[in-house]
Amino acid sequence: MLRKLTSKPARLVVGTAVASLLVLAACDQQDTRLERARDLADATLDQLSGRTIVEQDGTPALETADVMDRAIAGTLRNDMPFDTESERPMFAIGSIIAKPKDIPPAETMAVETEDEVFLADPEALAETAEESADSPPVAAPTPSTSRSLTIVEPARVMPKVKLDPNARSKSLSEIEKATEELERTAELEPEPPTKTRSLSPRSLEAAPVQEKEAARKLARRSVISKDAIRAQRDANSVMLDTLSKYGVGGEVAMSREGQMVIQIGEDGGSPTRFDTQSGPKSAFQNFLAIDQKIECPDDPDMVTVQSNPVMATECIVKDLRASGQFEYVEKDYIFENQFARKPRPDTPGTSPDVTGGTITETDITPNDPLWSLQWHFQNNGTGEGESSGGAGFQDFWTRQGTEGSPDIVVAVVDTGLQMNHPDIKDSPNIAPGWDMVSDPRMGNDGDARDSDPNDPGDLCDPSVPYAADTFHGTHVAGTIGAAATNNGAGVAGGAWNVKIVPVRALGKCGGRLSDINDAIRWAGGLIPAEDKEGNEVWNDNPADIINLSIGLFEYCPASLQDAIDSVTERGVIVVSAAGNARVATQFYAPGGCANVISVAAGDARGQIAPYSNFGPEVDILAPGGDLTRDDNGDGRPDGVLSTKASTNCYDPVTGEGVENCFYAYEQGTSMAAPHVSAALALLKARDPDANADTLISTLLAAVDPREPQQCAGSCALYPGTTPIEGSPDMCLRPCGQGLLNLAKVPERATGGGGQ
């Protein structure tokens, strides 16, 4: 591997610095309601931040790079409104998620313990290894052309059941047919796990690589159980009775673990389609609604329900819950990305004619020209080439002897990935992903779920001034390591050699909870996707880490917690953005869910950013950026710089405007979470046999503790937080165990273990 042993910090000529003390305080969790949290978030004022403009010496790597390899978007702003996500979440009209009661936890094809994996069916291992060797990694399986159409074969994907209140007998027949299909599929799968063959790390040392990979995949997969089959059969009957009550049809998708998604509509053949003209035509095209917490009356008028899709959704949810048949029933909420939004652009970005300086040290430094602007990866400190908010990645690369490993997999559940991005299209770090956006109206790519995770854009309402596609997933994945690092172009990633699996779950106007649930399970290797021919397509690279830079202003939905628990029980680590609503993280999902690493956002000073959520649910603070500040004095905003197609750009060397570019500064807890995912990937590369608990403990020990004032802010800006004793007008906002600092990770006695 080519390593350039020179770091590129700057020689700073300090001008004037205007800084305001950010402080914040913990939210009193007792008797606090979600509605109050939304009121507090709406009441918070925008924080004004100072900036420092400086001049610097030139950085040869930056100056000699091609303009398109160094052009960036994002300029420093003294005053910027931080757009809080919707005060009330949206949901998909007519889409409901439910899970029947009393389904035991899903079994797998193998049992994983701390030190060993026991395969339930050794023959299945050989078959899976053979399939992996014979099949191209990207191609989906194709059906056999020799099959006779008269032969009844088990479904290779989960069946869907049409429920038509006007054809009850036919609907009951559909339910039985789907049940039989599930039973036949279950018969083809291995029996529940028994310790028939040890696949411990030691026993696998001499095994072929293909066999190791096959064992890893099988250890994750959920086996269809008879309990789940029976429960879904009975649940379908209850759903049919409920739909019949309101004269509304629907279609129910069944699953391996029992989580069901019902799409209701005017008839069973057109789920989510209602004959209604209520309200003006909105940007959401009447298929999404803001959750106004409308309650279904005790004796609803059938005409009103049938003509009002929102009321129909509420009434059916209410009745299904009252049936006592389900563990949970909830609306299909819409999640948003966790960019803390930038203000509208005024003119093409311009910047002071400032460039970086050079010093000679023995730090491992990537030769990507924009590396000198990535303060967030730099060593933590106040010297040249350091940042008070830096996460110490450079120190880790240097001392631990690894920049990552292609054997470590991070799945990014997000808006997808710009596959034609010049720093990504030829990157060896990209593995096959999947598009999990089920609704073509939200997909924005002309179809529903398929094997193409490319991000076509997520612009929701073109009528909103200055609205634009976010390409959010590309920025997040670039921070983790999707970009080709050390290639002399663009930016560096945190883990140079990690394997990224892009899983598209957010599209136009956001992402459905039901799609996110499936995306998490597919990313973890628990369930298959479905190709256009109806065949199962399993994730060939089950994730070690799943990054969720997404958010919903709502308590953690039960179905989301179910999906998270399903993957974490199998050793997957889930990293989540804490959210950008400036409230306690408990009111936000998935940051407030259990079994996630919840990440708050810090600025270049190492203090919690003004937009970030906070509270005891936060585990760690990591660089998220603040576009209103320039505390490192390079004349540019202290945002996180990563991959993303942008407009209104500029050349950081000359300051001249550039129409389009491929790198941008952004801010948000969305930017903080991928730093933690990249850090975990590095730790896993250093110690491949470490389990999730060990990796998390190591991560949370690698922090710089924060003083109260570093996790605080003006009480006037954060109503409802707790004042700090001895600090008038300042309130505390808990921001985890400290600021991520990989320099605090002790060196292994053996000298490391990556590449």
Side-chain angles (χ1 to χ4, degrees):
M1 174 183 297
L2 176 63
R3 295 178 179 173
K4 185 176 182 180
L5 300 180
T6 58
S7 64
K8 292 171 281 190
R11 295 180 181 273
L12 304 182
V13 180
V14 181
T16 53
V18 180
S20 60
L21 181 64
L22 285 177
V23 238
L24 264 218
C27 177
D28 183 3
Q29 304 295 318
Q30 295 182 350
D31 301 321
T32 304
R33 305 176 67 89
L34 183 60
E35 291 303 310
R36 176 61 178 154
R38 292 198 178 100
D39 292 340
L40 293 178
D42 186 51
T44 56
L45 303 175
D46 298 319
Q47 178 167 333
L48 300 180
S49 301
R51 66 172 182 171
T52 302
I53 299 180
V54 301
E55 296 293 333
Q56 295 178 309
D57 298 330
T59 299
L62 189 63
E63 291 180 347
T64 59
D66 184 82
V67 171
M68 294 313 296
D69 288 335
R70 69 190 189 202
I72 55 179
T75 55
L76 185 65
R77 295 177 182 273
N78 286 333
D79 182 12
M80 184 176 68
F82 298 111
D83 292 343
T84 301
E85 282 76 15
S86 304
E87 288 186 38
R88 295 187 181 277
M90 293 187 297
F91 64 93
I93 296 173
S95 186
I96 299 169
I97 304 170
K99 184 178 182 180
K101 278 186 176 179
D102 302 325
I103 298 179
E107 295 173 324
T108 61
M109 296 185 185
V111 175
E112 286 187 286
T113 65
E114 183 171 344
D115 300 315
E116 295 183 310
V117 176
F118 293 93
L119 185 67
D121 185 351
E123 292 183 2
L125 174 64
E127 292 174 1
T128 303
E130 184 177 352
E131 291 174 3
S132 299
D134 295 340
S135 303
V138 181
T142 55
S144 171
T145 56
S146 62
R147 293 179 180 175
S148 170
L149 296 178
T150 60
I151 298 177
V152 178
E153 295 191 352
R156 299 310 303 155
V157 294
M158 296 301 97
K160 294 181 179 179
V161 179
K162 179 180 176 181
L163 302 179
D164 186 349
N166 298 317
R168 183 175 179 82
S169 297
K170 182 178 180 181
S171 296
L172 291 172
S173 177
E174 289 273 348
I175 294 172
E176 290 304 318
K177 179 181 177 182
T179 301
E180 292 171 1
E181 288 179 354
L182 275 177
E183 290 174 341
R184 287 196 297 269
T185 301
E187 290 174 357
L188 293 181
E189 296 189 324
E191 292 294 323
T194 56
K195 295 184 178 182
T196 58
R197 178 176 178 181
S198 172
L199 296 174
S200 67
R202 290 180 295 277
S203 68
L204 284 175
E205 287 178 358
V209 173
Q210 293 169 355
E211 187 169 325
K212 295 179 186 178
E213 289 299 313
R216 181 175 181 235
K217 296 170 190 173
L218 288 176
R220 295 282 185 84
R221 295 184 178 184
S222 294
V223 176
I224 304 173
S225 71
K226 293 180 180 179
D227 291 319
I229 295 172
R230 287 191 292 264
Q232 290 180 89
R233 176 198 61 199
D234 297 341
N236 267 310
S237 297
V238 173
M239 290 176 178
L240 177 60
D241 292 340
T242 303
L243 296 180
S244 298
K245 173 182 175 180
Y246 297 106
V248 177
E251 185 177 74
V252 182
M254 303 170 72
S255 75
R256 287 175 171 262
E257 297 187 351
Q259 190 178 83
M260 309 168 77
V261 179
I262 176 173
Q263 306 284 346
I264 62 175
E266 63 180 353
D267 59 62
S270 302
T272 72
R273 184 165 70 89
F274 288 82
D275 185 15
T276 175
Q277 298 298 324
S278 59
K281 187 75 172 179
S282 72
F284 309 124
Q285 301 176 15
N286 287 337
F287 66 89
L288 301 181
I290 295 175
D291 190 1
Q292 302 288 354
K293 303 298 181 183
I294 298 173
E295 293 187 7
C296 177
D298 292 335
D299 188 18
D301 176 76
M302 293 300 103
V303 175
T304 300
V305 172
Q306 291 176 6
S307 63
N308 187 327
V310 173
M311 182 62 73
T313 305
E314 297 285 1
C315 288
I316 291 172
V317 167
K318 178 182 177 181
D319 282 12
L320 291 179
R321 287 175 176 171
S323 72
Q325 186 79 27
F326 299 92
E327 178 181 331
Y328 54 76
V329 182
E330 57 195 8
K331 289 170 284 191
D332 201 349
Y333 286 109
I334 303 301
F335 283 68
E336 299 175 319
N337 68 61
Q338 290 304 290
F339 274 159
R341 295 299 184 186
K342 295 191 297 183
R344 64 176 184 264
D346 297 324
T347 57
T350 58
S351 174
D353 186 8
V354 291
T355 53
T358 60
I359 63 174
T360 56
E361 292 181 354
T362 56
D363 287 342
I364 293 179
T365 305
N367 62 16
D368 305 87
L370 295 175
W371 160 255
S372 61
L373 307 183
Q374 294 182 279
W375 59 268
H376 38 98
F377 287 139
Q378 292 175 354
N379 295 335
N380 191 279
T382 57
E384 293 190 22
E386 297 178 334
S387 171
S388 297
F393 278 75
Q394 187 173 29
D395 183 277
F396 186 94
W397 300 333
T398 302
R399 292 191 306 109
Q400 303 289 345
T402 178
E403 299 91 37
S405 167
D407 295 329
I408 310 306
V409 181
V410 181
V412 180
V413 177
D414 215 291
T415 65
L417 198 60
Q418 289 178 288
M419 294 301 186
N420 61 349
H421 190 287
D423 216 4
I424 290 177
K425 65 180 181 180
D426 296 323
S427 172
N429 298 350
I430 308 303
W434 203 264
D435 180 359
M436 278 287 178
V437 180
S438 59
D439 191 329
R441 294 167 296 188
M442 299 183 74
N444 203 30
D445 57 357
D447 55 26
R449 295 183 177 183
D450 58 28
S451 60
D452 181 12
N454 183 66
D455 184 353
D458 58 356
L459 174 61
C460 182
D461 189 349
S463 66
V464 174
Y466 307 104
D469 295 313
T470 68
F471 300 116
H472 180 269
T474 301
H475 197 280
V476 169
T479 297
I480 298 171
T485 300
N486 209 44
N487 65 341
V491 296
W496 299 14
N497 304 311
V498 71
K499 186 176 292 181
I500 301 288
V501 174
V503 190
R504 185 171 182 249
L506 274 66
K508 181 178 179 180
C509 304
R512 289 190 180 201
L513 172 58
S514 56
D515 291 342
I516 291 167
N517 292 337
D518 284 351
I520 291 171
R521 286 187 167 95
W522 184 85
L526 278 62
I527 65 171
E530 177 183 353
D531 67 10
K532 294 181 179 179
E533 287 76 32
N535 298 297
E536 288 184 346
V537 183
W538 294 84
N539 180 8
D540 204 40
N541 300 281
D544 298 292
I545 302 149
I546 297 176
N547 190 92
L548 301 176
S549 287
I550 59 178
L552 172 75
F553 205 153
E554 187 71 42
Y555 289 113
C556 184
S559 63
L560 177 62
Q561 188 65 68
D562 194 7
I564 290 170
D565 292 346
S566 293
V567 295
T568 56
E569 287 168 358
R570 290 160 171 85
V572 181
I573 300 175
V574 178
V575 178
S576 172
N580 302 332
R582 295 163 285 170
V583 298
T585 305
Q586 67 164 326
F587 303 116
Y588 234 74
C593 297
N595 295 327
V596 303
I597 305 299
S598 185
V599 189
D603 61 18
R605 300 170 298 170
Q607 299 186 18
I608 190 170
Y611 52 79
S612 180
N613 285 355
F614 51 87
E617 293 78 20
V618 171
D619 294 293
I620 194 169
L621 185 70
D626 186 342
L627 296 173
T628 70
R629 300 187 66 89
D630 180 23
D631 291 298
N632 62 4
D634 66 355
R636 300 179 179 86
D638 290 342
V640 171
L641 186 60
S642 185
T643 48
K644 173 189 167 182
S646 302
T647 57
N648 295 320
C649 312
Y650 63 92
D651 183 342
V653 173
T654 66
E656 296 179 354
V658 178
E659 184 176 358
N660 299 297
C661 62
F662 298 100
Y663 307 94
Y665 288 107
E666 290 288 357
Q667 64 178 11
T669 53
S670 269
M671 285 54 265
H675 283 86
V676 172
S677 293
L680 287 165
L682 290 174
L683 294 174
K684 181 72 171 176
R686 188 189 73 137
D687 190 1
D689 294 333
N691 61 22
D693 290 341
T694 299
L695 293 173
I696 293 171
S697 296
T698 303
L699 172 84
L700 297 182
V703 297
D704 283 327
R706 301 289 87 185
E707 296 295 328
Q709 286 76 15
Q710 293 173 307
C711 287
S714 169
C715 296
L717 301 181
Y718 302 93
T721 49
T722 304
I724 298 176
E725 185 176 355
S727 299
D729 303 323
M730 303 306 292
C731 284
L732 179 66
R733 292 188 299 169
C735 61
Q737 298 190 29
L739 175 67
L740 172 66
N741 186 358
L742 285 174
K744 295 292 184 74
V745 177
E747 292 185 47
R748 294 186 63 193
T750 56
Q755 292 187 351

